[in-house]
Structures are given as C-alpha cells and as structure tokens.
C-alpha cells in the first residue's frame, strides 16, 4: 500500500457502487469525494489522478478558492480605527 487512500480502498473491498453514488444527492457525492481527498496523499500521482477522474465521473466541482470581500465600511483605514495608509 502506497498511501492511505489505497488502504481505504482495500478496506472497502473496492466495492463502491458508482451507479448508486451517481444517483445520490450532490451533497453526498461531494462528501464522499471530500473524504477521499482527505485520505489521499497529495504527493501521489495516482491519488491525484483518481480524484480528478472521480470529480469528472461524479460531477463534483473542485472547491473554489474564494476570499470573502470585506463588508462595506469595514475596510477603510482611518485615524479613528488606528490604521494608516501605506
């Protein structure tokens, strides 16, 4: 076994019912894929390719790198807030 995900696959007996998984709710498919990502080795090429394939097969988009924007009025730098401009 080269990675934790290979161990998980062996422990599950490779018995994943993909037809049922495709028919499952988007949340369940996303949770399943998130579990596999959490148990995979990001440095393992096979694990990364498996995750990419499952994303396509299950129709789960990768999480977006979203940075929340500050709310209006909270990002201003002013003497009252103790901030100063560069």
């Amino acid at each position: 076994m080269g990675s934790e995900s290979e161990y998980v696959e062996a422990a599950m007996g490779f018995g994943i019912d993909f037809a049922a998984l495709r028919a499952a709710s988007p949340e369940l498919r996303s949770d399943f894929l998130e579990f596999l990502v959490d148990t995979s080795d990001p440095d393992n090429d096979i694990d990364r390719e498996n995750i990419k394939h499952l994303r396509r097969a299950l129709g789960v988009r990768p999480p977006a790198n979203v940075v929340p924007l500050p709310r209006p009025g909270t990002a201003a730098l002013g003497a009252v807030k103790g901030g100063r401009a560069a």
Side-chain angles (χ1 to χ4, degrees), residues 26-85:
E27 293 82 16
L28 182 64
R29 291 187 311 233
S30 180
D31 289 347
F32 174 75
L33 195 58
E34 183 179 332
F35 167 76
L36 291 180
V37 168
D38 289 345
T39 58
S40 70
D41 179 3
D43 297 327
N44 185 314
D45 293 335
I46 294 171
D47 285 356
R48 284 196 312 267
E49 289 301 317
N50 285 343
I51 297 298
K52 284 182 192 176
H53 171 74
L54 284 172
R55 281 195 194 288
R56 286 190 304 268
L58 297 177
V60 177
R61 292 183 178 180
N65 292 330
V66 177
V67 178
L69 294 173
R71 285 179 269 161
T74 61
L77 294 175
V80 175
K81 294 184 179 179
R84 59 180 185 262

